[in-house]
Amino acid sequence: MSLVNAARRRSERTIGVQPTGLRRVRQLAGAYLALTKPQVIELLLVTTIPAMFLAGRAIPSPWLMLATLVGGSMAAGSANALNCVIDADIDKVMNRTKRRPLVRDSVPRRNALLFGLVLGAGSFVMLYFTVNPLAAVLAVATILFYIFVYTLVLKRRTAQNVVWGGAAGCMPVVIGWAAVTGTVQWPAFVMFAVIFFWTPPHTWALAMKYREDYERAGVPMLPVVATPEHVARQIVIYSWVMVGWTLLLVPATSWLYAVFALAAGTWFLCYAHGLFRQVRQGAKTKPMALFHRSNTYLMVVFCALAVDSAIGMPALGLPF
């Protein structure tokens, strides 16, 4: 009996090691995945697919969509991972980011750097051979811009960091368009501008909530260096411009997109003006409500683009 019991105890110890080992693998995989900031990538994909639909005014090849999304996700993941490496010192002092992998030492800094570089190289190869060279070049240019222009130059030096640095987040629509057509035409630039003017209200609403975080980290986000009223006014201005740019896509779409773009724009502007009114009256503000609604707004506008193109309704065209 003692031999049986001993064997049983050894078996239990062996079995007990396996879940621990698997758990460590899952934790490590999760840490590397967290470096890529998957929530940000999801938002980028929401804009890439509709851009591909609009480019052909039809549903693109499933294989082309898959290749573009995989390559684009790798490029975005590369930029985000390299951003985590550079901004590790900032992330340590911000409550919003203190659970990121490099802060918690879940991933060595050197490994995170290599991971980001490999993802970037992989995205170029993936897009070059499965999509087209233009999409591959645009993806690499986006990574370089995000790292060298936004992260290393703008982010810690100017309150206009997210205005100009946000251009990197606008590139997925251009890449999606290039993937279908092999060129870049005016609707791609209009979609770029929509996201360009959407980024400041979206990010400044978040920064209003986490103002103390950014101030402690020494990042001069607009809510850190300007009054709440000035920030809210800028949010309103950028929101109006953003909605105006969405309407410039009407000639390339049908009445269906026009209705949704106008309705969603009106809805979002009501919330932007509501935030401004609350700030001016000295009332309690809820900037995160605007932040979350900005995500919904962008999704509605670009989903309308996709549905409008998939249905294949005649484009309204220019009035002259």
Side-chain angles (χ1 to χ4, degrees), residues 256-274:
L256 181 65
Y257 167 77
V259 169
F260 273 93
L262 188 59
T266 303
W267 173 75
F268 186 77
L269 285 172
C270 287
Y271 279 101
H273 278 277

Side-chain angles (χ1 to χ4, degrees), residues 129-177:
F129 289 105
T130 64
V131 181
N132 59 51
L134 178 58
V137 170
L138 289 173
V140 172
T142 302
I143 296 171
L144 295 177
F145 181 89
Y146 187 73
I147 296 304
F148 290 100
V149 177
Y150 171 67
T151 306
L152 290 174
V153 177
L154 297 175
K155 185 172 183 177
R156 308 189 192 206
R157 289 179 172 84
T158 173
Q160 296 296 303
N161 45 22
V162 298
V163 176
W164 302 107
C170 309
M171 287 302 293
V173 294
V174 182
I175 295 171
W177 186 281

Side-chain angles (χ1 to χ4, degrees), residues 31-168:
Y32 277 99
L33 180 63
L35 284 173
T36 67
K37 302 179 185 177
Q39 297 90 344
V40 176
I41 294 178
E42 288 174 8
L43 189 60
L44 298 179
L45 299 185
V46 166
T47 60
T48 302
I49 295 175
M52 297 180 72
F53 275 59
L54 181 61
R57 290 294 290 164
I59 301 175
S61 157
W63 167 248
L64 180 62
M65 281 196 293
L66 178 62
T68 304
L69 293 180
V70 171
S73 296
M74 292 172 67
S78 167
N80 290 332
L82 295 173
N83 172 266
C84 284
V85 173
I86 297 169
D87 283 349
D89 59 325
I90 291 177
D91 291 342
K92 287 181 180 179
V93 298
M94 294 181 63
N95 292 326
R96 188 175 66 87
T97 57
K98 64 183 180 181
R99 296 184 63 82
R100 286 181 176 171
L102 291 179
V103 177
R104 302 178 66 188
D105 294 323
S106 302
V107 177
R109 187 184 181 94
R110 178 176 176 274
N111 290 9
L113 175 61
L114 291 174
F115 176 66
L117 293 174
V118 169
L119 272 182
S123 71
F124 177 82
V125 173
M126 176 75 181
L127 292 171
Y128 188 94
F129 289 105
T130 64
V131 181
N132 59 51
L134 178 58
V137 170
L138 289 173
V140 172
T142 302
I143 296 171
L144 295 177
F145 181 89
Y146 187 73
I147 296 304
F148 290 100
V149 177
Y150 171 67
T151 306
L152 290 174
V153 177
L154 297 175
K155 185 172 183 177
R156 308 189 192 206
R157 289 179 172 84
T158 173
Q160 296 296 303
N161 45 22
V162 298
V163 176
W164 302 107

Side-chain angles (χ1 to χ4, degrees), residues 177-207:
W177 186 281
V180 174
T181 66
T183 62
V184 179
Q185 297 167 315
W186 73 266
F189 290 115
V190 175
M191 288 185 287
F192 178 101
V194 169
I195 303 173
F196 182 85
F197 289 106
W198 168 87
T199 302
H202 171 76
T203 310
W204 287 336
L206 179 72

